[in-house]
Amino acid sequence: MKRIHQLQERLGEARLEALVVSRLINIRYLSGFTGTAGLLVLTPDRATFYTDGRYTDRARAELQEGIELVVDTHAWKRALSDLPTGRVGFESEHITVHQLDWIREHTADRVEWVPTRGWVEDLRIRKDPEEWATMREAQRLLEQVLGEVLGLLEPGKTTEWDLAVELEYRLKRAGAEGVSFDPIIASGAQSAIPHATSRRVPIPPNTVLLVDVGARYRGYCSDMTRTFWVGPEPPDPTFKRVYQTVREAQEAALKSLSPGLLARIPDEKAREVLRREQLEEYYTHGLGHGVGLEIHEAPRLSVFAEDHETLEPGMVVTVEPGVYLSGQFGVRIEDMVVLTETGVDNLTTFPRELQVL
Ligand code: ZN
Ligand code: ZN
């Protein structure tokens, strides 16, 4: 209930009688409910979850203690009629124009609807030790299964799609809920596309293989990228040079991470290294992003981050510089780390040195 209490305090500061939380992932974070229909209403001294009969048993099993459950075929209408009179907040980034019209219609003059932004997301940004442990396990499962899957590779025969499918299947068998996003298994020139899709084409011998994958475990995501050389011939010298530079860039960024730091600094550190090798122009995205219940969430680690965006203990972020030479190959190396009170705890243990498969 700590998370709910923090929001209840904020209600007072914002002079709101209640907050309606309708975004499902935020409901899960606050209440534990993992179903796909319902809404959570917070007043300064109560938390009530509304859902319909399909979810009665699930809600009873999952809802945290202290949250009241109301089951009604017309859950939204019921929740609206229970609302106190006065100013009520809603999640303005997660409600459609139509829904807003509808809730206004059903509350008439009784409720003044006040848009709120990021109230729950602001809490989600800092993970607690239990969340770190869950994400560490999501990463551990991923590394274990990726190791197995890479062992299946037969150059010239195995397709990108084969590896993507095997990864998903084996993750589920190993105890994960599945992948946290469609795996990116990209060989040859396809690796130069930062968000490539895995194709049903064989991975040829003597080429680059970029693998960006994640597992979902108890709702939480992991995220990692490694770039390999597929043998039997030794790695191409240009590729080797780019790989070493990206690795150095990642190292520089990782070393700079510390609580209190401006969120744009680590990206600047990575860029300095790439610039020295005339590779900065081929680095076409920011350094990293927050991870949690969603694969991409706040904060962003980018030179475009503003002065008020700083790193704080408890944040889980990726560090993933990349260089993409169109028509040739791409290199990206991505780790996922927790910011602690004193520095960082890297959740990724998979080797970063260039590996030949
Ligand atoms: Zn990734
Ligand atoms: Zn990522």
Side-chain angles (χ1 to χ4, degrees):
M1 290 291 280
K2 191 178 157 228
R3 296 166 178 172
I4 287 178
H5 288 150
Q6 282 173 289
L7 291 174
Q8 285 172 323
E9 265 172 41
R10 203 165 164 183
L11 285 177
E13 290 158 20
R15 294 180 298 108
L16 295 179
E17 303 301 326
L19 175 69
V20 175
V21 180
S22 58
R23 190 181 190 204
L24 285 165
I25 205 148
N26 289 343
I27 291 174
R28 174 177 187 153
Y29 177 77
L30 296 172
S31 74
F33 179 75
T34 63
T36 50
L39 72 161
L40 184 66
V41 178
L42 306 179
T43 64
D45 51 7
R46 281 173 103 141
T48 314
F49 179 69
Y50 295 84
T51 191
D52 62 71
R54 293 172 299 169
Y55 294 101
T56 314
D57 290 346
R58 184 192 284 257
R60 279 204 187 115
E62 293 179 340
L63 281 184
Q64 278 188 43
E65 230 175 285
I67 301 173
E68 272 175 75
L69 171 64
V70 175
V71 178
D72 194 307
T73 314
H74 304 287
W76 266 91
K77 278 187 186 163
R78 174 74 175 274
L80 296 180
S81 72
D82 286 353
L83 280 178
T85 302
R87 288 160 51 84
V88 175
F90 66 98
E91 295 182 291
S92 64
E93 292 166 298
H94 308 294
I95 208 157
T96 65
V97 174
H98 171 76
Q99 285 168 328
L100 184 58
D101 284 345
W102 189 88
I103 60 174
R104 281 201 169 121
E105 216 172 276
H106 283 81
T107 46
D109 306 332
R110 227 165 40 75
V111 171
E112 182 195 339
W113 289 99
V114 180
T116 68
R117 280 183 65 184
W119 279 32
V120 185
E121 286 82 354
D122 285 352
L123 300 180
R124 282 175 43 197
I125 232 176
R126 279 173 298 277
K127 277 76 181 172
D128 61 31
E130 200 186 322
E131 292 176 293
W132 303 349
T134 307
M135 294 182 76
R136 195 186 300 278
E137 181 60 10
Q139 178 62 24
R140 192 195 65 76
L141 284 167
L142 176 69
E143 293 186 15
Q144 176 201 313
V145 172
L146 181 63
E148 284 171 30
V149 167
L150 291 173
L152 303 173
L153 173 62
E154 287 180 62
K157 203 171 153 206
T158 315
T159 67
E160 297 171 358
W161 187 256
D162 289 336
L163 295 186
V165 170
E166 280 293 337
L167 184 91
E168 182 157 5
Y169 170 68
R170 286 168 185 249
L171 273 176
K172 286 181 172 170
R173 288 199 54 160
E177 282 141 28
V179 290
S180 51
F181 58 94
D182 281 340
I184 298 172
I185 313 277
S187 61
Q190 184 81 349
S191 63
I193 302 170
H195 277 178
T197 41
S198 309
R199 303 164 299 170
R200 293 172 196 261
V201 300
I203 297 163
N206 311 315
T207 194
V208 172
L209 182 68
L210 186 149
V211 172
D212 186 353
V213 288
R216 189 182 292 276
Y217 176 69
R218 293 191 183 161
Y220 284 82
C221 301
S222 59
D223 190 6
M224 172 174 78
T225 308
R226 288 294 182 262
T227 308
F228 304 96
W229 178 260
V230 181
E233 279 171 32
D236 168 85
T238 315
F239 167 69
K240 253 173 105 171
R241 180 178 77 86
V242 172
Y243 188 95
Q244 290 313 334
T245 310
V246 172
R247 206 189 142 193
E248 268 176 54
Q250 197 214 24
E251 199 65 44
L254 281 170
K255 267 220 240 85
S256 75
L257 290 178
S258 64
L261 191 73
L262 287 173
R264 66 163 180 266
I265 303 287
D267 197 11
E268 282 171 10
K269 297 286 177 195
R271 281 171 190 281
E272 277 169 23
V273 174
L274 297 175
R275 199 174 305 139
R276 224 169 42 215
E277 299 293 322
Q278 281 89 48
L279 290 171
E280 192 191 6
E281 64 177 295
Y282 306 105
Y283 172 37
T284 49
H285 51 75
L287 181 72
H289 53 88
V291 192
L293 287 169
E294 289 175 283
I295 185 68
H296 290 124
E297 53 180 57
R300 59 179 170 162
L301 260 58
S302 147
V303 280
F304 300 113
E306 291 166 28
D307 280 350
H308 63 88
E309 299 179 57
T310 55
L311 301 179
E312 292 170 45
M315 287 178 167
V316 178
V317 295
T318 66
V319 176
E320 48 177 311
V323 164
Y324 309 94
L325 304 176
S326 179
Q328 298 178 59
F329 63 84
V331 175
R332 179 165 68 250
I333 307 174
E334 172 180 30
D335 283 13
M336 184 173 80
V337 306
V338 183
L339 277 133
T340 64
E341 296 288 339
T342 50
V344 292
D345 180 2
N346 197 333
L347 298 179
T348 314
T349 66
F350 205 92
R352 262 174 246 124
E353 304 82 68
L354 177 53
Q355 275 183 277
V356 177
L357 301 175

